[in-house]
Amino acid sequence: MIEKTKIERRTFVQAITAASSAALSLALLPQRAAGQSLDKTTSTASDHFETAEIKTDDNTIFVRRYGSGSPLLMVHGFPRTSLMWRHVAPHLTGEHTVICVDLRGYGRSGIPASAEDHYPYSKRAMAKELVAVMDKLGFSKFDLVGHDRGGRVSYRLALDHPEKVQRLAVFDVLPISEAWGHADAKFAMTYWPWSLLSQKAPLPEKYLSGAPGAVFQNPFGEGSFGPEVRAEYTETYRDPARVHAICEEYRAAATLDIAHDEADQKQGRRIKCPMLHLWASGGPLDTFYEQEGGALGIWRKWADDVHGQAVKGGHFFPRKTQPTQRSF
């Protein structure tokens, strides 16, 4: 079920909780007044988190771990890192062990070598890696939340490893093959990273490396965060190896990820667990796909039990808060 609560502009934090066997529940909570320093605790027990580097077959994934209880994995998107969940995760610690990861290539996670077909940066490879991370942490099943690219890794994980995911929430995303399949001039102009970053190397790498700060000076990058947080995010784009990894993920999204989606559709594979989709009110997903029944109409071609609604706050609504002190 979805609890419909008034969403006040720039003053909320979203807390995802398991409320019923039918679907995910959404609770809207007020912004915490105090921030915290990176990798340090505060006086509030629920704000405490630990960090770790989890070794997988060919990589190391950086995680932030909060609280205790049933496991909840949270996956960021472009151009952020696990840091984007820093105000959301503390509100979930009473009921959940919250695991926030840096995707491969981002933040403090490792950067595996890619391949000619871009498979190491496909959503399938990234999803498999996150399953391995959760297994190493002792969680054989978990709830899953993903935003942007993380939402696409998350739905792929639910399709490839249905026995692992109890409930799924994806924020402001569509399946990759659906996004490309409905692409037009509006799509190309709005979702510039899809078309730019998927170009053959080294063109997009040179753009990102040449002006790393520019990633955060547009509607998909801007956000209400202080200089420390921006500096943390921007570090990803100062490392040529990380920039290449991010471009490889977008190249996979224009090739292998589409093929994997299309194979699922042909084989009739669907998301079986309860699913929640939230998208930005007035944004592209709220306005581009009316003939398809909107974002929910598209997701219902992929999932048996999906609910959702538009929320205010733009593409980065999970992070649209108004901190009064340091942002992390």
Side-chain angles (χ1 to χ4, degrees), residues 95-153:
E95 300 291 336
H96 297 282
T97 299
V98 184
I99 306 297
C100 303
V101 298
D102 284 354
L103 288 168
R104 55 171 49 192
Y106 284 85
R108 304 182 188 186
S109 286
I111 316 167
S114 192
E116 187 174 350
D117 66 354
H118 320 299
Y119 180 82
Y121 288 90
S122 67
K123 306 305 174 296
R124 174 158 289 164
M126 298 169 86
K128 181 180 179 181
E129 180 168 67
L130 295 188
V131 168
V133 168
M134 295 300 278
D135 281 345
K136 285 180 176 288
L137 291 172
F139 303 125
S140 60
K141 295 182 178 181
F142 46 88
D143 293 338
L144 179 58
V145 176
H147 175 257
D148 189 81
R149 313 308 287 183
R152 296 179 176 96
V153 174

Side-chain angles (χ1 to χ4, degrees), residues 3-256:
E3 180 184 352
K4 295 184 179 179
T5 310
K6 182 177 179 181
I7 303 169
E8 298 183 1
R9 182 175 62 91
R10 298 176 66 83
T11 60
F12 71 92
V13 169
Q14 302 204 75
I16 302 296
T17 60
S20 71
S21 61
L24 291 173
S25 176
L26 174 67
L28 302 179
L29 300 175
Q31 157 71 26
R32 299 189 69 85
Q36 69 179 46
S37 296
L38 185 65
D39 295 347
K40 295 182 180 179
T41 62
T42 69
S43 59
T44 303
S46 64
D47 285 346
H48 171 77
F49 66 92
E50 300 173 348
T51 64
E53 293 182 347
I54 309 299
K55 293 187 180 300
T56 61
D57 288 343
D58 66 345
N59 194 25
T60 301
I61 292 294
F62 177 81
V63 307
R64 291 179 169 87
R65 177 173 180 158
Y66 300 76
S68 61
S70 63
L72 170 63
L73 173 62
M74 306 191 80
V75 191
H76 70 88
F78 176 86
R80 306 298 210 258
T81 69
S82 60
L83 195 58
M84 73 165 285
W85 304 113
R86 65 194 178 280
H87 294 307
V88 178
H91 289 284
L92 306 172
T93 56
E95 300 291 336
H96 297 282
T97 299
V98 184
I99 306 297
C100 303
V101 298
D102 284 354
L103 288 168
R104 55 171 49 192
Y106 284 85
R108 304 182 188 186
S109 286
I111 316 167
S114 192
E116 187 174 350
D117 66 354
H118 320 299
Y119 180 82
Y121 288 90
S122 67
K123 306 305 174 296
R124 174 158 289 164
M126 298 169 86
K128 181 180 179 181
E129 180 168 67
L130 295 188
V131 168
V133 168
M134 295 300 278
D135 281 345
K136 285 180 176 288
L137 291 172
F139 303 125
S140 60
K141 295 182 178 181
F142 46 88
D143 293 338
L144 179 58
V145 176
H147 175 257
D148 189 81
R149 313 308 287 183
R152 296 179 176 96
V153 174
S154 296
Y155 87 76
R156 172 49 53 195
L157 196 159
L159 285 167
D160 286 358
H161 307 275
E163 75 284 359
K164 297 292 184 179
V165 183
Q166 300 177 128
R167 284 167 288 260
L168 171 68
V170 297
F171 296 163
D172 215 42
V173 297
L174 293 178
I176 291 170
S177 60
E178 298 282 359
W180 280 117
H182 292 85
D184 56 13
K186 290 189 300 182
F187 179 92
M189 293 296 292
T190 303
Y191 292 102
W192 62 267
W194 289 64
S195 49
L196 172 61
L197 302 186
S198 61
Q199 298 299 310
K200 186 176 180 179
L203 178 66
E205 284 89 343
K206 287 183 177 295
Y207 277 122
L208 284 185
S209 298
V215 175
F216 299 95
Q217 296 170 348
N218 63 82
F220 280 94
E222 65 187 1
S224 53
F225 45 75
E228 298 95 341
V229 174
R230 177 167 174 154
E232 172 81 3
Y233 286 147
T234 305
E235 279 306 303
T236 291
Y237 303 93
R238 298 190 189 282
D239 182 343
R242 295 193 182 280
V243 168
H244 178 64
I246 289 168
C247 292
E248 283 294 280
E249 186 266 308
Y250 275 89
R251 293 178 185 118
T255 53
L256 272 183

